[in-house]
Amino acid sequence: MHRRLASMRKSLLDQGFLDEQFIQLEELQDDSNPNFVEEIAASYYRDSARQMLNIDQALDKVPLDFTKLDNLMHQFKGSSSSIGAKKVKNESTQFQEYCRAGNAEGCRRTYRQLKKEYATLKKKLEAYFQLARQAGPLETASRPK
Amino acid sequence: MNLGASQVAKSGSMPSSSSHGPAQQFPAGLRVLVVDDDPTCLMILEKMLRTCHYEATKCNRAEIALSLLRENRNGYDIVLSDVHMPDMDGFKLLEHIGLEMDLPVIMMSADDSKNVVMKGVTHGACDYLIKPVRLEALKNIWQHVVRKRKHVWKDIEQSGSVEDGKLQQQQPDDADYLSSANEGSWRNSKRKKDEEEDPEDRDDDTSSLKKPRVVWSVELHQQFVAAANQLGIDKAVPKKILELMNVPGLTRENVASHLQKYRLYLRRLSGQHQNALNGSFMGNPEATYGSISSFNDLELQAYAASGQLPAQNLAALQAAAFGRSATKSVVSPLDQRNLFSFETPKLRFGEGQQQHLSNSKQVNFLHGIPTNMEPKQLANFHQAANSFAINMPVGSHGSQGNSLMMQMAQPQSRSQIQNDINGSYVSRLPSSIGQPVVSNGTSRVLTRPVYNQVSQSSPVAGFSAQHSTDLSRNSFPLGGNSGISSLASKVIPREETTMQLKGSQGGSNYDVFSGQQQQHKSQDWSLQSSGLAFDTLQHANMRGNHDVSQSALVQQTFSSRDTIEQSRNSSVLPSVLLQQGFSSSGHSSSSSFGKGIFSGVEENGHRNMPNIGQQLNAYFTDTSPRVKAELLEGNFYNNILPDQYDQEDLMSALLKHQQEGIVTVENDFDFDGYPLDNLPV
């Protein structure tokens, strides 16, 4: 079980879905906070969903307010990087660059890509945490996300 | 789990009051206050800090952080703050903390661009961490605490009389110490007090932990500013400032280090001012702050040379000067008059700026300002303002003058706003006093002029009185000026009142921070000049609909949040126009002005609207009383803005609108006049 978990983790890292920050979070997890990483991920998905709604709305405006989009994305990027969501973070950076260049099409395109990465990571993390719960310490309550 | 709006969670044992500093093996037990609007980041940081054996306190709103720090001045050793926060810019928070509490502050951001990092440095941050923050980075933050303590400790040892509490007990009597007459006596009394207190302090210091930090309360800071202004920022030496301040228990070293910070602050302001000139309000408030410190003829002239002094700058400058100079000699009426006239503001501005500028090299503000004014006048002006004596003829001069006055009093934010505001009335406001005016699309950051206001309460009273009379005239009629000054003074203490509106249209970076945090519950925003009411209205309207960005009306920036909240129900919502910067997501509490209004409104559903409408009506009809009351409270800064506008216009516009109900401002940053549309009544 643990081995499976470790290999899943490794593959997520290797494929670039997650980065070193995620490992840091896992290292913070201890007996007093046995589901720390999962809680963080849950918090992230909650906040980022809201942030993405804001971005969606902002993208619907015409003309696009690039400054606002840049700021919104900055927030989103901060959250994403704090859990180690590497691909998502990269797309965010790209998005911000398009904002600064005033490239509306580039923004939209990147954002679509970002959403895909975001969804993919979410699924992968769900699988990961499920496995972690099974493999983890006994006191871990398996709490559905 | 949400950290939720305005909630503070403490992890670990209570940092507070009881232990001063780490009990056991340092750095374990280090009391850290971490401020970040992102709950995920906050959770992670807290966990990391606990892993480092620190005592971490989470906070997701800057205002809350400030109030926590204020309530418990010795409760924290270090502060970690995010740069981009919806309710207040991290840098502003940094400044506040630096000035008031002198705690080491570390900034964090996902943004690693050089200019942002530089900004952190210039604002006095001890360090700047790039997010995502790693555990290793946090492990070493204790070094900043030690470093600062060493500095303070050294001061204490040298002077032997630093006492946190004592300073606060001081009841600054601006008028008194400002007047030169007291000069001789302060020294004596001060010496005496020092002597009396030294032994005690020394004992306390040596026995207590190493944190003999002088807490620069708002009043104390005001005293400091007044003293510094009186001496002239260039000539202000710690020893003289110390004498002028006449605060027992304060040492020269304390003053010296504070002066250093203050100068940095001014410098920063002037730099920003430049930016502001270009349309972002950011700089203005600060500029005024710094510049006003001393007005010299020379400086003024230098400024005049510069050439482009945008009105706003002037206003700001003036405001700054206004606030600051309390201590200066009384300006002759004539001078004052000059001051008030449109040109003069510039001068003043220049003067103020000059001082600062000369130090810092940012002279942008004064470009082109005709230096008619003598710095002295300006100084006088301020002084008068402070002592409230200024009833300058300025008022009589007409709106311009007033606006200037106002501006002066009000930290430039107002002026900045003014510029941005496209609305007719907006232009009218010559210099917004610190009011965060949300201009269309531009991000304006109004910083509160907290610092300048030397005088405290008294001016406020004066202001209100005058205000009422002048209401018709400009938002801040001279009569108001005194008021303004008072307001300004009020503002200053408040350090927090910065209302920063970062224009960016949606940018959540506007910091409208009405300063409230503090204790001022006053309804500053009741600034009530019609302008204010107007703002409120708008605000009210806006709330209904929109998200902040829409309410272009930033103007009113009234004061503090507190007022807003309070007023929400009671009366005009301080329409602090926060507008623009508000990201809809953040505003839960009225911490920031705009937010306050909005949140107030929103929170109460739209039921407030009716109240607002009514209130506004009442307001308009009877502005004077309102003005008095609240305005002056610390948030003066914010409030002042309204005055800028032409009172008459405003009034009429407002009244007109009132009939129709509150106007909702739908457009982003649309300042034109105050669109009052559907004011639900």
Side-chain angles (χ1 to χ4, degrees), chain B residues 474-673:
Chain B
N474 326 354
S475 40
F476 283 105
L478 272 199
N481 288 328
S482 47
I484 299 184
S485 43
S486 50
L487 277 178
S489 39
K490 268 347 205 111
V491 178
I492 299 209
R494 291 312 128 149
E495 315 209 338
E496 333 176 287
T497 3
T498 25
M499 300 233 330
Q500 296 179 352
L501 283 179
K502 293 222 204 143
S504 48
Q505 313 245 337
S508 37
N509 299 330
Y510 48 76
D511 300 325
V512 174
F513 185 63
S514 35
Q516 342 351 57
Q517 312 276 344
Q518 309 200 16
Q519 325 101 13
H520 311 288
K521 287 336 204 50
S522 50
Q523 322 253 320
D524 296 329
W525 34 279
S526 32
L527 212 30
Q528 308 47 86
S529 16
S530 46
L532 289 175
F534 191 83
D535 292 328
T536 328
L537 264 179
Q538 311 227 346
H539 226 38
N541 293 329
M542 306 217 280
R543 286 294 26 230
N545 354 354
H546 70 174
D547 47 4
V548 180
S549 51
Q550 302 175 3
S551 38
L553 299 189
V554 176
Q555 356 208 335
Q556 307 257 0
T557 65
F558 292 7
S559 48
S560 49
R561 223 173 11 106
D562 292 345
T563 46
I564 294 183
E565 296 177 348
Q566 296 167 9
S567 49
R568 262 200 307 203
N569 305 320
S570 53
S571 46
V572 200
L573 283 185
S575 43
V576 181
L577 309 183
L578 309 184
Q579 331 167 2
Q580 313 236 340
F582 276 120
S583 43
S584 38
S585 54
H587 340 307
S588 50
S589 42
S590 9
S591 39
S592 39
F593 268 76
K595 284 225 207 143
I597 299 198
F598 285 104
S599 37
V601 177
E602 274 184 313
E603 290 164 7
N604 299 323
H606 295 297
R607 41 194 163 99
N608 284 341
M609 298 294 260
N611 295 339
I612 294 175
Q614 283 152 18
Q615 287 173 355
L616 284 169
N617 287 322
Y619 209 71
F620 282 106
T621 51
D622 183 17
T623 46
S624 44
R626 288 248 175 138
V627 176
K628 319 206 253 226
E630 322 333 323
L631 252 174
L632 305 183
E633 274 299 51
N635 295 315
F636 179 78
Y637 182 115
N638 302 318
N639 298 329
I640 308 267
L641 281 182
D643 292 324
Q644 306 289 342
Y645 311 108
D646 222 294
Q647 289 266 334
E648 288 137 8
D649 295 340
L650 217 49
M651 289 293 294
S652 43
L654 266 170
L655 287 169
K656 189 161 62 105
H657 288 286
Q658 279 211 335
Q659 330 281 334
E660 315 168 2
I662 297 195
V663 172
T664 43
V665 180
E666 292 292 355
N667 9 2
D668 296 32
F669 310 106
D670 184 1
F671 282 165
D672 313 313

Side-chain angles (χ1 to χ4, degrees), chain B residues 26-101:
Chain B
F26 188 81
L30 195 69
R31 296 160 307 168
V32 185
L33 177 66
V34 53
V35 190
D36 193 332
D37 61 309
D38 183 334
T40 308
C41 288
L42 209 50
M43 267 173 70
I44 296 175
L45 285 168
E46 185 198 26
K47 180 74 175 137
M48 284 183 173
L49 289 167
R50 295 210 0 234
T51 304
C52 295
H53 305 294
Y54 297 154
E55 282 181 13
T57 305
K58 291 189 290 216
C59 199
N60 66 344
R61 300 291 290 269
E63 295 152 13
I64 297 180
L66 266 179
S67 57
L68 274 181
L69 287 167
R70 290 198 176 115
E71 285 165 19
N72 194 356
R73 285 180 188 267
N74 293 323
Y76 302 97
D77 298 309
I78 189 166
V79 179
L80 248 55
S81 172
D82 187 31
V83 166
H84 293 278
M85 290 190 289
D87 61 333
M88 189 199 298
D89 182 29
F91 295 117
K92 285 281 159 263
L93 177 64
L94 168 58
E95 281 171 9
H96 278 303
I97 296 178
L99 283 171
E100 283 185 45
M101 292 126 208

Side-chain angles (χ1 to χ4, degrees), chain A residues 19-21 24-25 27-30 32-33 36 39-41 43-47 50-51 54 57 61 65 67-68 71-72 74-75 77-83 89 100, chain B residues 1-2 37-41 43-44 47-48 50-51 82 84-86 109-111 131-136 504-509 547 549-550 583-586 668-669:
Chain A
D19 62 20
E20 180 56 31
Q21 180 66 13
Q24 283 251 311
L25 296 183
E27 285 171 1
L28 287 175
Q29 187 161 289
D30 56 17
S32 67
N33 273 124
F36 179 68
E39 288 167 15
I40 293 290
S43 164
Y44 166 69
Y45 278 106
R46 236 187 343 258
D47 296 333
R50 184 176 38 89
Q51 286 165 350
N54 291 340
Q57 282 173 8
K61 294 210 164 101
D65 181 349
T67 309
K68 177 173 181 163
N71 287 334
L72 288 173
H74 176 84
Q75 302 273 6
K77 179 178 161 190
S79 301
S80 305
S81 67
S82 71
I83 73 149
K89 181 176 81 163
R100 287 168 199 163
Chain B
M1 168 226 35
N2 246 346
D37 61 309
D38 183 334
T40 308
C41 288
M43 267 173 70
I44 296 175
K47 180 74 175 137
M48 284 183 173
R50 295 210 0 234
T51 304
D82 187 31
H84 293 278
M85 290 190 289
S109 180
D111 191 351
K131 284 183 173 180
V133 179
R134 295 176 62 87
L135 190 67
E136 295 79 51
S504 48
Q505 313 245 337
S508 37
N509 299 330
D547 47 4
S549 51
Q550 302 175 3
S583 43
S584 38
S585 54
D668 296 32
F669 310 106

Side-chain angles (χ1 to χ4, degrees), chain B residues 310-350:
Chain B
Q312 34 185 353
N313 294 333
L314 271 183
L317 191 49
Q318 293 179 357
F322 195 87
R324 289 272 200 120
S325 49
T327 53
K328 307 258 187 181
S329 52
V330 179
V331 181
S332 61
L334 191 56
D335 291 343
Q336 293 181 350
R337 218 187 317 261
N338 291 340
L339 288 178
F340 291 105
S341 56
F342 224 87
E343 305 303 13
T344 41
K346 290 198 196 162
L347 287 180
R348 280 205 289 211
F349 186 84

Side-chain angles (χ1 to χ4, degrees), chain B residues 100-257:
Chain B
E100 283 185 45
M101 292 126 208
D102 195 22
L103 279 176
V105 182
I106 294 181
M107 305 302 295
M108 306 179 286
S109 180
D111 191 351
D112 61 351
S113 53
K114 183 161 158 271
N115 54 334
V116 183
V117 177
M118 178 62 85
K119 226 178 141 192
V121 172
T122 57
H123 280 69
C126 295
D127 204 350
Y128 190 103
L129 302 178
I130 307 293
K131 284 183 173 180
V133 179
R134 295 176 62 87
L135 190 67
E136 295 79 51
L138 291 180
K139 279 207 178 125
N140 287 330
I141 62 176
W142 58 268
Q143 59 175 295
H144 303 293
V145 179
V146 174
R147 200 172 291 128
K148 259 222 168 140
R149 281 191 194 164
K150 248 178 64 151
H151 174 70
V152 176
W153 195 224
K154 200 157 55 99
D155 283 354
I156 295 201
E157 284 172 343
Q158 290 174 13
S159 63
S161 55
V162 169
E163 195 34 84
D164 283 1
K166 300 210 175 83
L167 295 175
Q168 276 147 25
Q169 292 153 16
Q170 288 297 321
Q171 283 305 319
D173 189 346
D174 298 340
D176 288 353
Y177 64 77
L178 290 183
S179 65
S180 41
N182 293 347
E183 204 150 359
S185 46
W186 323 310
R187 271 179 241 216
N188 299 339
S189 52
K190 178 185 169 305
R191 295 246 170 83
K192 204 155 41 111
K193 284 183 193 166
D194 278 350
E195 285 161 7
E196 289 167 359
E197 301 194 333
D198 274 1
E200 303 170 7
D201 293 345
R202 211 163 271 126
D203 289 347
D204 288 352
D205 293 338
T206 50
S207 57
S208 77
L209 217 172
K210 4 307 193 144
K211 224 180 312 198
R213 196 186 310 141
V214 168
V215 177
W216 283 87
S217 66
V218 183
E219 288 83 13
L220 194 63
H221 182 69
Q222 270 189 332
Q223 279 180 279
F224 168 83
V225 172
N229 286 342
Q230 190 169 345
L231 292 169
I233 198 66
D234 287 340
K235 309 204 232 16
V237 284
K239 187 155 171 54
K240 295 220 177 88
I241 295 178
L242 186 62
E243 286 168 0
L244 274 179
M245 285 176 69
N246 192 20
V247 169
L250 189 61
T251 70
R252 194 200 70 78
E253 289 73 13
N254 301 140
V255 174
S257 64

